[in-house]
Amino acid sequence: MAAKVRRAGRRADALSKERIVEAAIEILDRDGESALTFRALAARLSTGSGAIYWHVADKNDLLDAATDAVISRVMTEDVGHEAPREAIRTVAVGVFDAIDAHPWVGTQLAREPWQPAMVHIFEGIGAQLQALGVAEGAQFNSASALVSYLLGLAAQYAAVMQLVPRETDRSAFLAAIASRWAQHDPAKYPFVHQIAAQLPEHDDREQFLAGIDLFLAGIDAGRA
Amino acid sequence: MAAKVRRAGRRADALSKERIVEAAIEILDRDGESALTFRALAARLSTGSGAIYWHVADKNDLLDAATDAVISRVMTEDVGHEAPREAIRTVAVGVFDAIDAHPWVGTQLAREPWQPAMVHIFEGIGAQLQALGVAEGAQFNSASALVSYLLGLAAQYAAVMQLVPRETDRSAFLAAIASRWAQHDPAKYPFVHQIAAQLPEHDDREQFLAGIDLFLAGIDAGRA
DNA sequence: ACCTGAACACCGTTCAAGT
DNA sequence: ACCTGAACACCGTTCAAGT
């Protein structure tokens, strides 16, 4: 844990926070959250496990940096040419797709709301709310609600993805949950019964966008 | 890990899943998520750490059971006499307050969307959406959106609570985040700057309800 | 300044052995 | 049937020692 001074003439394969974060992302993507250990990371970088601590404060710092690397890439997409409503959907879908590609990002975003990646998400959503003409006093609440929704679904989606990575396993897994939910007393849990039937074949992405639209409709209603 | 057969004549202080879960909740509430270890639990119950595995499959099973115990208590509140809109707010606030009292519940709900506690939440929200007259085809999407929002905010709130338990520390903590957010370039992050100012003194519970109302307004708009 | 790798203080989980 | 507690296979993190 020390500030790193950058200088010219370093070896090409020298350790750096960027190289560590990059390696961490590869491990997380290929083998999941539980596979990211300092030992595995050190082995992959052909170094000692203690060396990593020179560039990274601790595991949390590493996960924050990895999450920020993924999210800031998404948030550099230019949405300036789109209408605010479409731009919000684009930003939201961008985050959704990033979590689809990197499930661990969903877990991490929900776990640390104050991390750097959140700044990008808040700015991306908030700027469009301003463009949409939401009253200044309502902007914080609206942005917060949208971001909470985004993260809540992200965390749940990531949790399922983490257990069953492939598309085919996924619907089988959801079918298993559905049949467990369907075992509850239909008299006491009529609604759970009803959605259990729809659970295995529902489209997550479509449902996600439906939620965004519900929000936008609510915001619209507030302005009228 | 075995089915437990209940019989009469057991000693009053005999181990049971209920007693284990109760002790786990007490540890989680008093000392936080990281304090719940099988060793600490065994010490508190004056038993061996291995004994717990006779009643509980693993740590995940224990956390699911603890979460379900807290949530099912909230969900037994009778909202039958309230109008659907008020009933939804009551249910949502009930979950919010439960997480306020037991921050670890927020973390756990977001981490395992298929756990038993979610069945109660879905039923509580869904039943009221039906009463509200939401079209059957839209009920799953609407309930899912509301639950996602609920869990997203819950996870974030729990994350902050977990770090700074007391009310006074909390606003100091938020002020620290706000000042970090305010250090970003105002030209590139105007919205983040704006909400940073509001962050320390905003009321989480009020903001939470504002988000629920946004949803309800969106649902209303969809029915018109 | 940066890297090494053994050592420390933990974990969850298992399992032979007890009652 | 239920409980004990040592043992196993891990963790994140530290730190004296190297270059």
Side-chain angles (χ1 to χ4, degrees):
Chain A
M1 197 195 342
K4 208 190 64 178
V5 182
R6 251 153 244 291
R7 271 191 282 115
R10 313 216 344 268
R11 286 180 305 136
D13 63 340
L15 226 47
S16 68
K17 184 154 184 175
E18 295 86 64
R19 278 194 64 224
I20 293 169
V21 168
E22 179 197 347
I25 290 175
E26 283 169 22
I27 292 174
L28 287 162
D29 284 346
R30 168 150 51 247
D31 304 315
E33 297 178 44
S34 65
L36 182 66
T37 67
F38 277 78
R39 277 164 246 260
L41 199 50
R44 180 174 243 281
L45 292 163
S46 312
T47 185
S49 51
I52 296 165
Y53 282 89
W54 184 263
H55 302 276
V56 152
D58 52 23
K59 191 167 184 181
N60 220 50
D61 181 33
L62 176 58
L63 283 168
D64 278 5
T67 305
D68 194 42
V70 170
I71 290 297
S72 63
R73 232 169 276 156
V74 172
M75 286 299 160
T76 53
E77 282 175 35
D78 185 26
V79 292
H81 56 97
E82 293 182 79
R85 188 172 310 276
E86 270 314 303
I88 287 180
R89 290 171 58 111
T90 302
V91 168
V93 165
V95 175
F96 184 86
D97 287 344
I99 290 160
D100 191 37
H102 315 276
W104 51 273
V105 170
T107 316
Q108 189 57 21
L109 282 174
R111 186 142 48 211
E112 294 225 319
W114 54 86
Q115 69 184 302
M118 291 293 277
V119 173
H120 296 114
I121 296 177
F122 252 108
E123 187 64 39
I125 299 274
Q128 298 307 323
L129 288 176
Q130 290 182 323
L132 207 58
V134 173
E136 190 163 323
Q139 285 173 11
F140 186 22
N141 279 352
S142 298
S144 166
L146 259 167
V147 171
S148 291
Y149 167 66
L150 194 57
L151 297 198
L153 197 126
Q156 293 174 76
Y157 189 57
V160 176
M161 289 275 290
Q162 207 65 25
L163 274 196
V164 278
R166 315 206 116 279
E167 198 54 47
T168 50
D169 301 333
R170 180 176 172 79
S171 79
F173 178 71
L174 290 178
I177 295 171
S179 81
R180 204 156 70 206
W181 283 24
Q183 277 162 24
H184 285 83
D185 181 3
K188 288 181 68 179
Y189 299 93
F191 185 71
V192 166
H193 255 76
Q194 179 187 308
I195 62 172
Q198 303 171 50
L199 196 58
E201 71 264 24
H202 88 290
D203 184 325
D204 298 281
R205 196 194 171 88
E206 207 176 293
Q207 188 166 63
F208 170 70
L209 274 171
I212 296 283
D213 288 341
L214 218 50
F215 254 123
L216 292 174
I219 287 171
D220 253 4
R223 288 186 314 158
Chain B
M1 197 197 338
K4 207 189 64 176
V5 182
R6 253 153 243 292
R7 271 190 281 116
R10 313 216 345 268
R11 286 179 306 136
D13 61 341
L15 226 46
S16 67
K17 184 155 186 176
E18 295 86 63
R19 279 194 64 222
I20 293 170
V21 167
E22 179 197 348
I25 290 174
E26 281 168 24
I27 292 174
L28 287 164
D29 284 346
R30 169 150 51 246
D31 305 315
E33 297 178 44
S34 64
L36 182 65
T37 66
F38 277 78
R39 276 165 247 261
L41 199 51
R44 180 174 245 281
L45 292 164
S46 311
T47 184
S49 51
I52 296 165
Y53 282 89
W54 184 263
H55 303 275
V56 152
D58 52 24
K59 191 167 184 182
N60 220 51
D61 181 34
L62 176 59
L63 284 167
D64 279 5
T67 305
D68 193 44
V70 170
I71 291 297
S72 64
R73 232 169 275 156
V74 172
M75 287 300 161
T76 53
E77 281 176 37
D78 186 27
V79 291
H81 56 96
E82 293 182 79
R85 189 173 310 275
E86 270 314 304
I88 287 179
R89 289 170 59 112
T90 301
V91 168
V93 165
V95 175
F96 184 86
D97 287 345
I99 290 159
D100 191 37
H102 316 276
W104 51 273
V105 169
T107 316
Q108 188 58 21
L109 282 174
R111 187 143 46 212
E112 295 225 319
W114 55 86
Q115 68 184 301
M118 291 292 277
V119 173
H120 296 115
I121 297 177
F122 252 108
E123 187 63 42
I125 299 274
Q128 299 306 323
L129 288 176
Q130 289 182 324
L132 208 58
V134 174
E136 190 163 322
Q139 286 173 10
F140 185 22
N141 279 352
S142 298
S144 165
L146 260 167
V147 170
S148 290
Y149 167 66
L150 194 57
L151 296 198
L153 196 127
Q156 292 175 76
Y157 189 58
V160 176
M161 289 275 288
Q162 206 64 26
L163 273 196
V164 278
R166 312 207 117 278
E167 199 53 48
T168 51
D169 302 333
R170 180 176 173 79
S171 80
F173 178 72
L174 291 177
I177 295 170
S179 81
R180 203 156 70 207
W181 282 23
Q183 277 162 25
H184 286 83
D185 180 4
K188 287 181 68 179
Y189 298 92
F191 184 71
V192 166
H193 256 76
Q194 178 187 308
I195 62 171
Q198 303 171 50
L199 196 57
E201 71 264 22
H202 88 290
D203 183 326
D204 298 279
R205 196 193 170 88
E206 208 175 293
Q207 188 165 63
F208 169 71
L209 273 170
I212 296 283
D213 287 341
L214 219 49
F215 254 122
L216 292 174
I219 287 171
D220 253 3
R223 286 187 313 156

